[in-house]
Amino acid sequence: MPEGHSIHRLARQFTSVFTGETLKASSPQGRFLEGAGRIDGSVLTGARAHGKQLFLEFDNDLVMRVHLGLYGAWSFGGDSRFRGASSIGAPRRVGERETPNDDDGGSSYGGPPAPVGAVRVRLVSKHGWADLRGPTACEIITQAERDAIIAKLGPDPLNPDSDPARFVARVRRTRTAVGLSLMNQAVIAGVGNVYRAEVLFRRRVHPWLPGVALGEVTALALWEDLVLLMNDGVRAGRIVTTTPQHRSPGSGSSSAVPAEDAHYVYKRTGLECRICGTPVAMAEMGARKLYWCPYCQAD
DNA sequence: CGGTTATGTATAG
DNA sequence: TATACCTAACCGC
């Protein structure tokens, strides 16, 4: 999936290319005909993200809520305003970055192409288009319903208004393993399986440590590191958690780091830890694969 | 071409 | 805990 950084990139993309535009909405796949009809012809007034939830807001006071789930993705195309990422969502390879727009970048735009694959929703302005495939959730809701959904989520490290103390108190109140709480969107919103494994490694926290045994300083350090990592993810369009001294020489900005150098432990089972050389371990936690270094993250 | 896999979550039992 | 959801890339045959 798309962890929180991808959803915030989408909010930014929709804000920059579609806000203020009248949108034609359709469902080529046919599974969102009614919902598309309720926003068809409306003006997008804004887009925002909280955790992995994307909210597109329209001038008829309706809100389109999208959750990409495990394999949802948006693709974009259009005139020169649409230059940049043409696809944001489910990555298909480790360390993958978003696919660049291979359009010629000219100002010509003759309308969207024939839909390819199962397009749940297609939004079209006079400048470009957006296609949504494979979301786990896509629905039209009211602003009150949107507020209720956000209220149930924990603080989002990518939201500057988030209160770190809420996360610190919540994670330390329960005996639940820290590795599980990081995946609980009611505890902290936007963290997924990659950021979970990587931030625990970077802060040298044993994944099975009960929350009550996590020090306040360490809990805050997890939060602060996620703020750093996820904001970098928003900038780069991919998850890179390694620092330059732990990568092969020569790679510059995080967007240029080779995929095999992007992570410390995620999907590196059996490979040597970049710090100590111990083979990286893997186990199931919360029905997801968890990766960690048994030496650097000893309990 | 079929089986596997995935950065996720809801629901059933 | 298990399964369903439902999409596309990758891998081995």
Side-chain angles (χ1 to χ4, degrees):
Chain A
M1 154 205 158
E3 301 196 24
H5 69 298
S6 298
I7 314 308
H8 281 260
R9 278 178 72 81
L10 283 166
R12 197 169 76 178
Q13 168 85 340
F14 276 100
T15 297
S16 72
V17 303
F18 282 133
T19 295
E21 299 286 321
T22 299
L23 298 183
K24 282 192 288 194
S26 60
S27 178
Q29 175 201 51
R31 292 188 53 191
F32 193 62
L33 293 172
E34 190 184 341
R38 296 180 68 190
I39 53 171
D40 186 34
S42 299
V43 174
L44 188 78
T45 55
R48 60 165 134 160
H50 191 101
K52 301 167 190 171
Q53 307 276 344
L54 175 67
F55 301 101
L56 302 182
E57 327 232 336
F58 293 88
D59 66 346
N60 58 1
D61 290 342
L62 292 178
V63 178
M64 181 176 166
R65 177 181 82 93
V66 174
H67 192 299
L68 294 178
L70 190 51
Y71 29 63
W74 286 92
S75 52
F76 300 88
D79 66 18
S80 57
R81 297 168 54 170
F82 282 70
R83 251 199 291 201
S86 70
S87 177
I88 301 177
R92 305 297 180 190
R93 294 185 304 275
V94 174
E96 179 183 27
R97 69 166 309 171
E98 296 159 10
T99 57
N101 196 335
D102 55 4
D103 290 352
D104 61 12
S107 57
S108 62
Y109 166 58
V116 176
V119 178
R120 183 80 57 89
V121 180
R122 166 169 281 186
L123 301 176
V124 182
S125 76
K126 62 173 178 273
H127 295 287
W129 51 270
D131 282 352
L132 171 64
R133 292 181 177 79
T136 206
C138 175
E139 62 177 349
I140 302 299
I141 61 176
T142 65
Q143 293 168 354
E145 289 169 327
R146 173 205 59 204
D147 294 343
I149 287 167
I150 293 176
K152 286 179 188 160
L153 294 168
D156 180 348
L158 287 173
N159 182 346
D161 299 329
S162 287
D163 180 9
R166 258 183 80 206
F167 162 72
V168 171
R170 176 77 189 257
V171 73
R172 297 180 72 228
R173 190 158 59 222
T174 161
R175 295 145 64 88
T176 302
V178 177
L180 271 180
S181 285
L182 285 177
M183 295 287 278
N184 182 346
Q185 302 299 299
V187 174
I188 183 169
V191 175
N193 207 20
V194 179
Y195 282 126
R196 158 176 82 164
E198 295 295 305
V199 77
L200 287 171
F201 176 87
R202 284 169 52 105
R203 295 292 104 216
R204 304 174 75 95
V205 174
H206 183 59
W208 280 269
L209 186 74
V212 291
L214 182 69
E216 187 173 355
V217 170
T218 308
L220 191 57
L222 286 173
W223 172 273
E224 296 296 347
D225 206 26
L226 284 166
V227 170
L228 185 81
L229 290 175
M230 294 175 77
N231 274 292
D232 192 56
V234 172
R235 279 188 294 272
R238 61 189 295 226
I239 301 177
V240 174
T241 60
T242 51
T243 55
Q245 73 264 32
H246 298 137
R247 308 196 281 250
S248 46
S251 60
S253 68
S254 57
S255 60
V257 173
E260 61 270 23
D261 283 350
H263 309 137
Y264 283 104
V265 290
Y266 179 75
K267 270 206 170 171
R268 296 192 72 243
T269 308
L271 298 178
E272 291 183 0
C273 170
R274 297 182 191 280
I275 306 289
C276 73
T278 301
V280 171
M282 188 275 285
E284 297 271 332
M285 179 190 263
R288 306 299 299 280
K289 288 181 177 175
L290 169 73
Y291 307 84
W292 82 104
C293 171
Y295 183 85
C296 292
Q297 299 168 263
D299 49 357

